[in-house]
Amino acid sequence: MGQLDVKPNIRTCGINLNHWYVVASSSEVKNKPLGVTLWHENIVLFRNEKGEIQALEDCCPHRLVKLSDGQVVDNDLECAYHGWRFDGEGKCSFVPYLTEKQKLPNCQLRRYPVKEFDGFIWLFPGDGDRKKISPMGLPEWEHLNYIGSMTTIDCPGHFSYLIENLMDMYHGHLHDNYQAWASASLKEITINDHRVDVLYEAQSYYRIDKIWSISQLFFPALRRLHPEPLIVSYGYPHWSSTLGKDFKIYCLFCPINETTTKAYLVHFTSLEAFWRLHKLPVTFRRLVKNSLFGAAKGLLDGLVRQDVAMIKQEQEAFLTNRLGRTYELNPAIAKVQQLILDQVKDK
C-alpha cells in the first residue's frame, strides 16, 4: 500500500530554510553573545575583533549548555561552564585544563552563513545554494531622504497569521488613532513563484509635502484623508508595503516555531518632496536622519499591539479546535496561503 500524501496544514507548516531570514538587528549584537531561535534552531551570534558577525549553533558539545551565556574572548566564543572556546568556524580552539598528553576534542559546531547590512543580521539556515538567493534588503536604511522607525513584533502565533494580517488591508478600523489608511478596495493581485503583490486603492491619512507635515505622526488632528495607492507584497519570507509616495514599510520575519513568530517592523517616511533639503551638506542631512530615527515608533507600537491581540485569539482558537471552519472573502489571502505551502514543498 502506497504512502498517503498528507497535505501540510497552513497553521502548522514549517518554513523553507533556503532563504535569508532576519534574526537580529545590528544594534542588538554588541560585545556579548546573543542567543536567537529560528524555526526550532538555537543560534548564537557574536562579533570577532573586527566587529564581523559570526553565527554558530548555541550548544556547547561538552555539556550541551548554551554558548550564548558565555563571553567573547579575542575572536573566540567561550563557554560559561568550563571555559571551552570555539572559533568562528565552530572548531574547539582551547580547553583551559587540557594536559600535555591530551588533544583538543574533535568537535564541530554548525556554522551558519550570515550577512550584516541595512541595519540587520541576515542568516541562511538551509543547505541550498545561498548565492542564488539574495536577502531582500532595505535600501531606504542608509538613504538620506528617508526617516526610519523600527519596532519588534513578538507574536504568539504561527507566522501565517501575521503575514495574512499584513496582506489584508480590510481591517483598518481596528487601529483607531494608529490608523494610516482607510476605505481600502482591492484592485489587482499579481503572483509568481516566490511573491504575491496586491494593489489596493485606499485613503491615506498622511501627506508629507510640507516641512511641518511630519508633525502629523504626532498629532492626529492634523491628518486629512486623500486617495493613494496601497501596495502590499509578500516576497517570501518577508513583507513590504508602500502607501503612496510618502511611506514604505517592511516586516522582516524570524519564525521561531509553530506558535511563536518574531519579526521586525520597519517604517520609512519619505523626504523626497523637499528638494531644497537635498542641496544641504551630507553631514547635516545625516544628522537630521539620525535625530529623527524612531519618530513613528509610537505609531508602529500601537499598530502592533492591536494586531497581535487579534492574532493571539486566532492562534488560541485554532489550538482549541483545529478543524474549526473560517470564512474568507479576500482572495489575496488564498494566494498567500498557497505561496507558503508551495515553499514548504520546495524546501
Side-chain angles (χ1 to χ4, degrees):
M1 186 173 180
Q3 185 177 3
L4 293 176
D5 182 15
V6 179
K7 295 182 179 180
N9 189 312
I10 188 66
R11 305 308 179 197
T12 59
C13 71
I15 64 174
N16 187 339
L17 298 175
N18 290 318
H19 285 275
W20 291 93
Y21 291 85
V22 167
V23 291
S25 66
S26 292
S27 60
E28 290 179 282
V29 190
K30 299 179 181 178
N31 298 326
K32 296 182 179 180
L34 176 68
V36 299
T37 303
L38 175 59
W39 203 253
H40 299 281
E41 296 185 30
N42 294 322
I43 302 165
V44 56
L45 307 174
F46 66 101
R47 295 185 184 276
N48 62 21
E49 289 181 324
K50 297 180 179 180
E52 300 167 333
I53 289 288
Q54 310 290 320
L56 302 174
E57 61 177 296
D58 193 7
C59 182
C60 180
H62 177 213
R63 294 293 179 86
L64 307 183
V65 300
K66 288 188 175 182
L67 287 167
S68 54
D69 290 336
Q71 63 180 343
V72 179
V73 179
D74 298 327
N75 284 317
D76 295 345
L77 186 59
E78 182 181 80
C79 181
Y81 198 0
H82 290 84
W84 288 30
R85 296 180 190 173
F86 300 87
D87 62 22
E89 298 297 321
K91 296 179 180 179
C92 183
S93 59
F94 176 74
V95 174
Y97 49 86
L98 197 71
T99 68
E100 294 182 358
K101 295 182 179 181
Q102 290 178 313
K103 295 181 179 180
L104 286 172
N106 186 25
C107 47
Q108 176 68 52
L109 298 175
R110 180 178 178 185
R111 180 176 182 269
Y112 294 85
V114 286
K115 295 183 179 182
E116 180 179 16
F117 65 96
D118 293 343
F120 291 92
I121 311 302
W122 306 75
L123 184 143
F124 194 91
D127 56 5
D129 189 352
R130 63 183 183 273
K131 295 181 180 180
K132 292 184 177 180
I133 301 176
S134 299
M136 181 173 68
L138 286 69
E140 296 86 358
W141 187 266
E142 295 291 342
H143 200 299
L144 295 179
N145 294 347
Y146 291 87
I147 305 300
S149 298
M150 180 182 72
T151 194
T152 303
I153 303 176
D154 293 308
C155 182
H158 188 267
F159 71 92
S160 63
Y161 286 119
L162 180 55
I163 193 61
E164 289 174 22
N165 169 274
L166 293 165
M167 294 296 290
D168 186 357
M169 294 294 102
Y170 289 137
H171 72 281
H173 69 283
L174 167 70
H175 294 306
D176 302 323
N177 287 337
Y178 302 114
Q179 189 174 349
W181 79 97
S183 305
S185 176
L186 195 154
K187 295 300 178 182
E188 184 179 353
I189 301 175
T190 305
I191 60 175
N192 63 31
D193 292 341
H194 303 290
R195 65 183 295 121
V196 176
D197 299 286
V198 183
L199 169 64
Y200 294 87
E201 286 184 359
Q203 295 287 320
S204 172
Y205 279 92
Y206 303 91
R207 188 187 295 278
I208 309 300
D209 58 353
K210 296 180 176 60
I211 196 63
W212 55 266
S213 298
I214 200 168
S215 62
Q216 297 171 82
L217 297 173
F218 310 101
F219 303 105
L222 298 177
R223 303 167 192 168
R224 295 291 183 271
L225 283 172
H226 62 280
E228 293 282 12
L230 173 58
I231 301 173
V232 290
S233 302
Y234 185 31
Y236 192 97
H238 306 296
W239 175 89
S240 64
S241 173
T242 58
L243 178 60
K245 297 180 179 180
D246 295 328
F247 299 107
K248 184 70 178 282
I249 308 177
Y250 296 88
C251 191
L252 310 175
F253 277 71
C254 180
I256 294 176
N257 55 42
E258 288 82 357
T259 59
T260 311
T261 302
K262 183 178 181 179
Y264 294 88
L265 193 64
V266 190
H267 176 283
F268 293 101
T269 301
S270 172
L271 302 180
E272 294 279 7
F274 307 117
W275 60 270
R276 289 187 177 87
L277 181 65
H278 312 331
K279 295 185 177 182
L280 295 174
V282 170
T283 53
F284 178 77
R285 293 169 63 195
R286 174 67 64 183
L287 176 65
V288 170
K289 179 181 176 73
N290 293 340
S291 299
L292 292 176
F293 183 84
K297 188 176 187 303
L299 175 69
L300 297 182
D301 288 343
L303 289 168
V304 168
R305 183 168 58 251
Q306 293 170 337
D307 282 335
V308 165
M310 296 294 104
I311 295 172
K312 181 181 179 182
Q313 293 184 44
E314 289 184 285
Q315 182 67 57
E316 290 173 347
F318 172 75
L319 294 176
T320 300
N321 182 10
R322 293 175 178 251
L323 299 179
R325 181 179 179 183
T326 60
Y327 298 83
E328 182 57 66
L329 299 179
N330 186 342
I333 302 306
K335 301 300 183 184
V336 166
Q337 291 180 345
Q338 189 59 55
L339 172 57
I340 292 173
L341 294 175
D342 287 345
Q343 285 290 321
V344 174
K345 296 175 185 176
D346 292 343
K347 69 178 181 179

